[in-house]
Amino acid sequence: MRRFNLAVLAAVTLSAGLTAVPAQAHSGRPLGIENCTTAGCHFDVPPGTYDVKVLLGGDAASSTKISGETRRSLLPETAAEAGERVSRGFTVNVRTPEGEPTGPDGTPGLDLVLGGSAPALADIKVTRARHTRQIFLVGDSTVCDQPGDPYSGWGQQLPQYLRKGVSVANYADSGESTVTYLSEPRLWATVQPLIRPGDLVLVQLAHNDKTTDEATYRANLETLVAGVREKGGNPVLVTPIVRRWFNSDGTLNNGTALLVNGLGVDHPAVIRSVAAAEDVPLIDLTAKTKALVESLGVEGSKAIYLYNEKRDNTHTSVHGATVYAGLVRDELFAQGLVPKGSVRVG
């Protein structure tokens, strides 16, 4: 695919596929629109954290959203009137592997994809981030950067709700329990050394602790909390999203929906207990997703999960993951866990 100059690129619509245009390795000089095509941009940068500033709009009315790396939503759809230019910014984590920690390495560098109903990119600048606060995610398949449609974890959708200066490093991994997350070298042993003072570490592990007894589950959560604090980070415990498993009366008041395992361990209750005992902030995503799913009802809640596509009542669609990420965003904002002005609201 040939390159486009600034004027042409701002007016064109999204074409199929992304053709990477090589850029020079990052050396402090901003990388710009010369590294973009009509479909997106490729920046030949090493792993790290990068600030991205975009100027959206063109001669015609436009509407642009930006995703990147392993299907992460980085900027929500943003409209611009004809002739208008809208400036937006976000911070992105570039790592290897770029998606799930036990998955493939992915593509080196930073890849961004332009989407939306009428995308138009007028300019872009990428610089290495400084003084960035990181949000690490420790979780399972309901949180992770899912590699393919129709799946999406809520952590994959969370970055679009954060402004420049806060990035998401999603180290959630499919199939993990508290036991396996602590024992697999590519998981906790990799994440903990990366934590810096002031970083947030959100922990949501429960769906795969089906055979974990209560004492072990509690001890594992305490180990994760202590490990975060050892590095000067701030742990946040997150209760798991509900499974879409209705009773005949339209409620989710059963063990399958509310993550009570075969040994009778009530995972959300244990998480709440540990949060209280350890004086750790709690995001009660179980309670919030239960209320939402029950309000939508048996039919309306199908779109949140992958029932229609896969008869799956545990994993979320892109739409559902986006809604659930919004609930997490709301709690980060309400509890003052991220700096003022760093959360996109509305």
Side-chain angles (χ1 to χ4, degrees):
M1 182 181 292
R2 65 187 179 89
R3 299 190 187 193
F4 288 74
N5 63 32
L6 182 64
V8 174
L9 183 60
V12 295
T13 57
L14 183 66
S15 65
L18 170 62
T19 302
V21 180
Q24 296 299 312
H26 193 275
S27 60
R29 177 179 59 83
L31 301 174
I33 203 164
E34 68 275 7
N35 302 293
C36 300
T37 70
T38 55
C41 309
H42 173 79
F43 300 95
D44 184 17
V45 296
T49 306
Y50 295 89
D51 288 332
V52 180
K53 183 178 181 180
V54 295
L55 194 64
L56 305 176
D59 293 339
S62 63
S63 186
T64 309
K65 63 181 178 181
I66 299 177
S67 59
E69 298 297 271
T70 303
R71 303 176 61 239
R72 299 180 217 160
S73 293
L74 300 172
L75 187 71
E77 190 146 0
T78 303
E81 298 295 332
E84 181 186 17
R85 297 293 185 270
V86 176
S87 178
R88 292 289 186 268
F90 55 88
T91 302
V92 60
N93 171 256
V94 177
R95 61 183 184 271
T96 303
E98 71 176 35
E100 295 181 87
T102 63
D105 285 352
T107 305
L110 170 60
D111 289 294
L112 302 177
V113 178
L114 303 179
S117 58
L121 177 67
D123 200 8
I124 186 169
K125 297 296 181 187
V126 174
T127 56
R128 185 176 285 276
R130 303 184 185 279
H131 311 298
T132 296
R133 192 174 190 186
Q134 198 104 282
I135 299 177
F136 288 91
L137 302 182
V138 170
D140 54 34
S141 59
T142 66
V143 184
C144 75
D145 287 349
Q146 289 280 0
D149 284 328
Y151 295 89
S152 181
W154 62 256
Q156 201 165 19
Q157 302 301 324
L158 184 61
Q160 66 185 300
Y161 290 123
L162 301 170
R163 299 182 190 275
K164 186 168 72 71
V166 180
S167 70
V168 175
N170 190 351
Y171 282 85
D173 197 73
S174 294
E176 306 300 341
S177 66
T178 58
V179 175
T180 61
Y181 204 94
L182 286 167
S183 63
E184 164 59 58
R186 290 171 291 181
L187 298 173
W188 184 238
T190 296
V191 175
Q192 190 192 21
L194 301 175
I195 300 169
R196 302 168 305 183
D199 286 341
L200 287 182
V201 183
L202 276 58
V203 179
Q204 186 217 279
L205 287 167
H207 279 271
N208 300 301
D209 279 279
K210 298 182 176 74
T211 60
T212 309
D213 63 76
E214 183 168 339
T216 301
Y217 186 65
R218 179 181 296 272
N220 289 343
L221 292 175
E222 291 169 346
T223 296
L224 289 164
V225 167
V228 174
R229 286 175 166 166
E230 180 185 328
K231 293 295 184 178
N234 299 313
V236 179
L237 293 179
V238 183
T239 60
I241 67 170
V242 294
R243 296 190 179 102
R244 183 187 164 277
W245 199 268
F246 283 93
N247 297 326
S248 59
D249 64 358
T251 67
L252 300 178
N253 295 317
N254 60 77
T256 299
L258 300 181
L259 283 297
V260 178
N261 76 7
L263 301 179
V265 180
D266 185 331
H267 294 104
V270 175
I271 295 168
R272 295 177 189 120
S273 174
V274 172
E278 299 289 331
D279 193 24
V280 173
L282 174 75
I283 296 179
D284 198 342
L285 206 50
T286 305
K288 291 185 174 297
T289 55
K290 177 179 183 292
L292 177 61
V293 171
E294 287 181 342
S295 72
L296 293 171
V298 174
E299 290 302 318
S301 62
K302 288 178 179 179
I304 295 287
Y305 292 84
L306 293 172
Y307 180 85
N308 293 325
E309 299 87 348
K310 301 286 186 177
R311 295 297 188 266
D312 186 333
N313 293 307
T314 297
H315 297 97
T316 48
S317 62
V318 171
H319 165 66
T322 302
V323 171
Y324 285 177
L327 297 177
V328 175
R329 178 271 316 269
D330 293 345
E331 283 299 299
L332 292 173
F333 181 78
Q335 296 189 39
L337 296 172
V338 292
K340 289 183 178 179
S342 64
V343 176
R344 300 184 199 276
V345 294

